[in-house]
Structures are given as structure tokens and as C-alpha cells.
Amino acid sequence: MSEKEDLAKQKAEAAARAKAVALARKQAKEEAAEKPEVDMDIAKQKAAAAAKAKAAALAKKQAKEEEAAEKPEGEMDIAKQKAAAAAKAKAAALAKKQTKEAAEKPEGEMDIAKQKAAAAAKAKAAALAKKQAKEAAEKPEGEMDIAKQKAAAAAKAKAAALAKKQAKEAAEKPEVDMDIAKQKAAAAAKAKAAALARKQAKEEAGEKPEVEMDIAKQKAAAAAKAKAAALARKQAKEEAGEKPEGEIDAVKQKAAAAAKAKAAAAAKAKAAAAAKNRTAVQESEEADTPSEISPNQSKLDQIVSAIESHVGQGALLESYINRLSKDVPTLVANPDTYFSIAKFLRYDEQLDFSYLSELHGTDFESHMEIYVHLHSFKMNQSVALKVKLDRDTPVIPSLVPLWSGANWPECEAYDLLGINFYEHPDLKRILLGEDWKGYPLRKDYEPYDVEV
């Protein structure tokens, strides 16, 4: 070895020592700025111990280099292997020591120690990388490949160790930090997904024609609506799950009240619409009612004149042409003259209403009414005979003596409405039993047995 090389080595060693001392002083100052007096003494002792250890390591390194300079190539490889093994053992011991010290420190010092350790690890990794790069520059091509492989393996091992460390730190974090970390990760994932969706939409928009663009927009809008609805349902469930029972009951009551109010409003609107429709129908009927005289008006006048001549002037309460029933002449009889009018219509030679086609009763709530439809084959004319009855005591003479076809219709009116036809030959209930309570066709009917 030449004198120049010796001088260069000595200078390099001196610079390294000066740098190590400066670094130790700097670390001591930084620790002294943060630590109290008691910790200062401990820090100084640690710094001194670290400086001694570093100086000893540097001395060993120099001794090894001097020995290596005198040894042949074969012994050099063995020396390198030993040095590498020693370095690994030293690094493992140092890691154990740091772990032990970290376990003894409180939480506040733990974070500072972690930060310092991370900074030291970064600085050490940078120095190692520079050293390897320098050594690689001086090595021939064969050794360069081996060095690259070693460097790659070391990088992989370092990355794996860092990943394990991060996982361990994440496992040691409290629940609050974990939740914040999860929220940040979720937000980042959402942002990334949104960006990806926008990118895909742009790419698809650049390739798709206008028709497909509209379909895609519609699909996107539908998906957005579905997502919003799902989110609303989720929030509602979460709110419902967080609310106490009292608030949930109050919410249910409010919802029920709102539903009732809505139903009542709908019912009112429906009733108003129905009333409006009825008014419109009545107005249309009045408007559609022809002003011209009905072709049956002359026959009605003939019938009314004959009744008044033979039965009496006050026998009829009213007479009119029923426009809604094919212009049928309609007679409204007094209950006292009902049977007399019916008898006259049946046996008068000119009228001769020999056929009774219909008889039924109706409950108008204010009164009961009997409707009888008669037909005269001689006149080729029909006529309607009506009579209004007291609802509480609906009693009227039977028409069976005049028309035998009135038998069963009168029994039906008696069975379902409770109208009593006196002088009926066999008045009885024909649909319901004799022990049945009430009359089903009455508007105020209530079943005796509700379950039936």
C-alpha cells in the first residue's frame, strides 16, 4: 500500500470520527431540548456509550481492513463472510435492545422514540445505499451482479420488515385511531372509485354515439336514484336504531297521524269529486231534458182524468212522465186510495191493466215506497203506480186479490223490508227464517250475529 493511500485512509477516518462526534452532539442537544434534567444525564450517558461503541466498531473495522489488505483472495472471502455474519448479529442485538427500551418507555416517549428510530433507520439505509453504490462502482461485472442480487434481497427483506412493523403499530393503535384510519381509507377508496368511474365515463363517452350516451345517462341517473334511496333507508334504519323506544313510539304515532290525515283528505277530495259529478249529471240531465211534450202525455192525461172521475179529485198526490224510464206515465197515490186506484186500473174496460209485471219496495230512510209496474194489452201502454208509507209502521193493502202475481213480490218486500201487506192470503218470509232478526234491505240494518 502506498503512502498516498495511507494518508487518504487516515483523512477519511478522521472525517468519519468528526462526523460521528458532531452527530452525537446534535442528538444530545435535541434530546436535551425535549427532556428534563434527569433525562439529560441519562441521554448524555447513552450518547457517550453510543460514541464509545461506534469508536470501537470503527477501530475493529480498520483492523479488519488492514488484515484484509495483507490476506490473499481466499482468506478475503472468508473474512467478508465473517464480517457479514457479525454485522447481522450486531444488527439483531441492536434491534432487540431498542425493542426492550421501547417496551419500558411510556406512551409519550414511545412516539418520539419511534420517530427517532425511523429517522435513524432512513439515514442508515441511505448511507448503506451510498456505500453499496460506491463499492459496486469499484467492482468488476461479475461481482456487480452478485451485489445487485444481494441488494435486491436486502431491499425485499427490509420492505417485509417495514410491512410487519406497520401492521404491528396498526394493531397497537386505540379504537379511535383505527376508526379514523378506516374512515380515511374508505374516503380514499370512494374518491378513487369516483375518479375511476369518471374516467371510464369519459372514455365511454368518447367512443359511444349519442343514442348510447342517452341510455348511459339514464342508467346512471337510475343507479344514482337507487343508491340515494338505499342510503336514505340505511340512514333511517340507523336513526331508528339509535333512537330510544319513547322516540320511536312518538315517530310511529306521528306517522300514523299523518297517514290518517292523508286518508281523511283523500276521502274528502273523493266525496267532493263525487258531489261535483252528481251535480254535473243532474245539470246534464236537466239540460238534456227535452222541452217538447212526451208522446205519452195524452195517455197520462186520459188515465188521470178517468181516476179523478171515478175515484175522486184527491185520489192522486202527483202524476208525471218519467223521462228516465222510457217516458212511462207515473201515478203517485194517496195511501188511503192506493187499493181503489189499483182496482180501477185493473177492471176499467177502457184501461184494462190486466198484467202486473213488477212490484218491489225501497227504503228512502225518510219513508218507504212501493212501486208497481202495470201493463194494458188493450191500450198497448204501461203505467207505474207508487205509494209512500210511514217508515215506522209501513202498512198497505195487498194487491193479491187483484193480481195473483203480486203474491211472491209482496212476501219478498215483507221479508227484506218489513212492509206489512194486510189481507194477503199467506204473508210470510220466503228467503229468511221466521226467527231472523231485522230486515236486511233497510238502510239502518245491523246484523244480530256480527260474525254472520
Side-chain angles (χ1 to χ4, degrees), residues 61 64 76-90:
K61 184 179 178 183
K64 286 179 182 179
M76 280 286 287
D77 293 334
I78 297 166
K80 283 181 181 178
Q81 291 174 3
K82 288 181 179 180
K88 285 181 181 178
K90 189 175 181 181

Side-chain angles (χ1 to χ4, degrees), residues 262-401:
K262 193 173 181 181
K268 284 182 182 178
K270 193 174 181 181
K276 191 175 180 182
N277 290 336
R278 283 196 298 270
T279 305
V281 169
Q282 289 175 359
E283 289 176 356
S284 64
E285 286 175 357
E286 291 175 1
D288 293 339
T289 302
S291 59
E292 59 186 33
I293 298 172
S294 171
N296 293 331
Q297 185 64 45
S298 60
K299 292 180 180 179
L300 175 62
D301 294 339
Q302 179 186 349
I303 295 167
V304 170
S305 177
I307 290 171
E308 288 179 350
S309 299
H310 291 82
V311 180
Q313 289 292 330
L316 292 174
L317 297 177
E318 187 182 359
S319 62
Y320 58 91
I321 297 293
N322 192 344
R323 299 282 187 179
L324 300 178
S325 183
K326 299 180 181 180
D327 286 5
V328 173
T330 303
L331 308 170
V332 181
N334 192 315
D336 297 333
T337 59
Y338 167 71
F339 186 79
S340 300
I341 293 170
K343 186 177 181 180
F344 176 75
L345 294 173
R346 170 70 179 86
Y347 293 114
D348 184 77
E349 293 181 358
Q350 293 180 357
L351 302 178
D352 193 20
F353 287 95
S354 60
Y355 177 62
L356 185 147
S357 62
E358 183 179 353
L359 187 152
H360 67 261
T362 306
D363 181 12
F364 286 94
E365 292 185 311
S366 60
H367 64 278
M368 294 283 188
E369 183 178 276
I370 295 294
Y371 178 92
V372 183
H373 193 87
L374 305 171
H375 185 75
S376 172
F377 295 100
K378 187 174 183 179
M379 294 179 64
N380 193 23
Q381 180 62 41
S382 294
V383 69
L385 178 63
K386 289 184 177 182
V387 61
K388 295 180 180 180
L389 307 174
D390 181 40
R391 192 171 184 276
D392 295 330
T393 55
V395 179
I396 199 72
S398 173
L399 297 182
V400 174

Side-chain angles (χ1 to χ4, degrees), residues 50-61 64 82-98 124:
K52 285 179 182 179
K54 196 167 185 181
L58 186 61
K60 287 179 182 179
K61 184 179 178 183
K64 286 179 182 179
K82 288 181 179 180
K88 285 181 181 178
K90 189 175 181 181
L94 183 61
K96 286 181 182 178
K97 184 180 178 183
Q98 289 175 349
K124 192 171 181 181

Side-chain angles (χ1 to χ4, degrees), residues 113-232:
K114 284 180 181 178
Q115 293 174 3
K116 287 181 179 179
K122 286 182 182 178
K124 192 171 181 181
L128 182 63
K130 285 180 183 178
K131 184 179 177 183
Q132 288 175 350
K134 191 174 180 181
E135 290 176 355
E138 295 174 357
K139 287 179 182 179
E141 292 182 1
E143 294 183 6
M144 280 286 286
D145 294 334
I146 297 166
K148 285 180 181 179
Q149 291 174 4
K150 288 181 179 179
K156 285 182 182 179
K158 191 174 181 181
L162 184 61
K164 286 180 182 178
K165 185 180 178 182
Q166 289 175 349
K168 189 175 181 182
E169 289 176 357
E172 292 175 356
K173 284 184 181 178
E175 292 181 2
V176 178
D177 292 342
M178 283 292 286
D179 294 337
I180 295 167
K182 285 181 181 178
Q183 291 173 4
K184 286 181 179 179
K190 286 182 181 177
K192 192 171 181 182
L196 182 62
R198 286 197 294 270
K199 185 179 178 183
Q200 289 176 350
K202 285 181 181 178
E203 291 176 356
E204 291 175 359
E207 297 173 359
K208 291 179 179 178
E210 293 182 2
V211 177
E212 293 185 6
M213 279 289 289
D214 294 335
I215 296 167
K217 284 181 181 178
Q218 291 173 3
K219 288 182 179 178
K225 285 181 181 177
K227 192 173 182 180
L231 182 62

Side-chain angles (χ1 to χ4, degrees), residues 14-33:
R17 287 176 185 173
K19 192 172 182 180
V21 172
L23 182 61
R25 286 177 182 173
K26 187 178 179 182
Q27 289 177 350
K29 284 180 181 179
E30 289 176 355
E31 292 175 359

Side-chain angles (χ1 to χ4, degrees), residues 387-443:
V387 61
K388 295 180 180 180
L389 307 174
D390 181 40
R391 192 171 184 276
D392 295 330
T393 55
V395 179
I396 199 72
S398 173
L399 297 182
V400 174
L402 303 177
W403 294 278
S404 59
N407 188 348
W408 283 85
E410 287 182 351
C411 287
E412 182 182 25
Y414 166 74
D415 192 6
L416 301 178
L417 288 164
I419 299 173
N420 189 9
F421 298 89
Y422 64 86
E423 295 185 3
H424 187 283
D426 187 20
L427 190 63
K428 60 182 178 181
R429 302 191 97 154
I430 59 173
L431 299 174
L432 304 173
E434 290 294 335
D435 58 346
W436 188 272
K437 306 292 184 181
Y439 305 99
L441 288 188
R442 288 201 176 201
K443 299 294 177 66

